[in-house]
Every structure is written in structure tokens, then in C-alpha cells.
Amino acid sequence: VFVLAAAGAFALVGNLRRSSVGRRWLAVRGNERAAAASGIDGVRTKLLAAAVSLAAAGVGGVMMGMLNESVSYRLFESDAALDLLALTFLCGVASLGGAVLAGLLAAGGIAAYTLGIGAGAQGRSLLFGAGLVVVCPRGGAGIPGGFAVVRDRLRAAIAARRAGSAGPE
């Protein structure tokens, strides 16, 4: 059930990003004034985005209720919420790959479980905080954005080397 719900959410978000609704969301996120100048109703767009995200959060809450025998306020600690927020930013807020990476690295995720990332709650907070100090000045693209920058620099270096070695004959 969890895998089906995650796959459904992934497919829904992927299709929404490519639709006209997703393009309006990206336009409002990028520059609300420019989006309004092009005829996009910012209030309606933000309300729709909030409704979709609240529906996704509701499905997540149902999944959490299915996983645990009882649901109480103790399941929702503020430290865990801050860790998830930091992890979301680190993995890239605007990419589907970032969402998958955040799911793998979150406490209880596959990578965190198998690799033992972070020594308990304090270790995770320290790790995520150090990551935010590195990632925040470089923009909001997170870890995948950092990999893209490295990839682009490597491609440019390889192209420059090929151009330099191909010289005039």
C-alpha cells in the first residue's frame, strides 16, 4: 500500500509539473508580479497548490496511522519536523529526484536504515545543519543542484580539453 501510494503521488506530481497548472505554480513561485502581469491569478494558484499539498499530507497522515497502532502527538516531534524540513531543502525543493533522495535519507528511510546515516536524532540534526550551511549560500537547488553544477563543469573542462588538443593541422 505504501509503495502504491508513493508511486501514485510521484506520478501525480510529475504530471502536474508538466501541466498548465504546474507551469502556473512555477511562474508564481519564480516571480509573482511577472506571473500576475501575464494574467495568472496568484491567489487562486496558491490556494490550489495548498489544497494539493494538504491532500498529499493527509494521505501521508493516513499512511502513518496505518503504520502505527495508535496515533498521538508524540509521533510528531518538533526536532523530527525540523530535520525533515532541512532534508527537504538539502535534497532540492523543486525536483522529483530530490523528493526521492529525501525519502531515502529521512529517518527510517532505506539509506538511513542500511547505512546508519546520522548517530541518532542529534547526529542527524548536526549532519543536516552542516549540510544547510554548505548548500544555502549556493541557492535552493540542494544536493542534486550541486551534482548538476559539478557535471556541467566537468563537461566544460572536457570540451575545452578536446578543443585545445584538436588544434590546427
Side-chain angles (χ1 to χ4, degrees), residues 151-163:
R151 181 193 67 219
D152 293 342
R153 287 184 183 173
L154 285 174
R155 285 182 181 169
I158 291 171
R161 181 171 285 200
R162 286 183 182 163

Side-chain angles (χ1 to χ4, degrees), residues 16-83:
L16 269 174
R17 286 176 57 96
R18 288 188 296 270
S19 71
S20 62
V21 172
R23 288 191 298 271
R24 285 195 304 264
W25 287 350
L26 292 174
V28 169
R29 187 191 76 194
N31 188 339
E32 190 172 352
R33 288 184 179 176
S38 66
I40 296 173
D41 184 6
V43 174
R44 177 173 280 161
T45 302
K46 287 181 181 183
L47 284 174
L48 181 59
V52 171
S53 66
L54 288 171
V59 170
V62 168
M63 294 294 141
M64 201 167 177
M66 286 176 53
L67 183 64
N68 298 303
E69 292 180 9
S70 64
V71 179
S72 72
Y73 68 94
R74 295 173 200 237
L75 291 174
F76 306 99
E77 298 175 358
S78 61
D79 290 343
L82 291 174
D83 284 349

